[in-house]
Amino acid sequence: FYIQYHRSGMIDHARTFAAVGTSQVIARQTDLIEGLEVHLLYGKSPRLLHRLAGSFSHYIRASALTNQIETWASFWMRSSAEAFSFCVLLFVVFALSRGEIDAPLAGVMISALFGTTSSIGWLDFATGLISRSAPHIRRVYDFVDLPEESAEENSPRGAVAETSPLL
């Protein structure tokens, strides 16, 4: 739980950086496609390509950071599950050697350990999938919470100007 708690916060921030990088790349690509003639006419195409390369570099770094966080968190999650299983296995072997438990019970406990370790690995994978889709769900709620366009169009001009700093 400790690892998962800290991983989710870090990944959210890293994915935010990646989303900003993606939007910058798309904006630069649009500038390149729509304004290519103007940039070529005034000799500014190297500057535009430099800005596009910088945006793409920002996106790659943010995506690499996200992958590094996911990889390390997954490594520590699975390593801690294996360490827990090893400790329980040592206790089972110790209890078996002292005669406190019998062999069939030890076998059941050991096979349950294998199931626990694989379940933790699956849980790690499933939470990773959920955390990848969380920003999309958050964006859907952002769109749902937007005011209706018909309400804004029918409102007086002064009311819109007061609520929106862009107008």
Side-chain angles (χ1 to χ4, degrees):
F1 290 116
Y2 178 80
I3 295 170
Q4 185 64 29
Y5 174 75
H6 288 289
R7 173 173 87 167
S8 64
M10 289 187 293
I11 285 180
D12 283 345
H13 288 297
R15 284 203 179 109
T16 301
F17 292 144
V20 168
T22 303
S23 66
Q24 288 177 353
V25 168
I26 290 172
R28 299 296 182 245
Q29 182 181 11
T30 304
D31 291 345
L32 183 65
I33 292 170
E34 293 177 357
L36 182 60
E37 293 85 13
V38 174
H39 285 91
L40 287 174
L41 180 66
Y42 290 105
K44 299 293 183 180
S45 58
R47 180 175 174 229
L48 179 63
L49 290 175
H50 178 70
R51 288 173 46 199
L52 179 63
S55 297
F56 190 68
S57 174
H58 175 80
Y59 166 73
I60 293 295
R61 285 194 313 265
S63 296
L65 176 65
T66 302
N67 289 335
Q68 287 174 345
I69 292 169
E70 285 181 347
T71 302
W72 275 107
S74 188
F75 170 76
W76 284 111
M77 186 94 99
R78 291 169 193 250
S79 295
S80 61
E82 293 295 333
F84 171 76
S85 295
F86 183 71
C87 290
V88 171
L89 181 65
L90 287 178
F91 283 119
V92 167
V93 168
F94 180 71
L96 189 61
S97 68
R98 291 189 56 181
E100 294 178 3
I101 60 172
D102 53 350
L105 180 61
V108 168
M109 292 173 79
I110 291 171
S111 61
L113 278 176
F114 290 134
T116 303
T117 304
S118 63
S119 294
I120 289 176
W122 179 86
L123 181 66
D124 177 48
F125 174 74
T127 55
L129 285 177
I130 290 171
S131 72
R132 280 185 212 105
S133 64
H136 304 295
I137 295 169
R138 195 174 308 129
R139 185 136 172 103
V140 167
Y141 279 111
D142 288 343
F143 281 120
V144 167
D145 291 339
L146 287 175
E148 291 184 29
E149 291 179 7
S150 61
E152 283 189 13
E153 290 175 4
N154 294 332
S155 67
R157 179 80 173 144
V160 173
E162 291 175 7
T163 58
S164 177
L166 299 175
L167 295 177

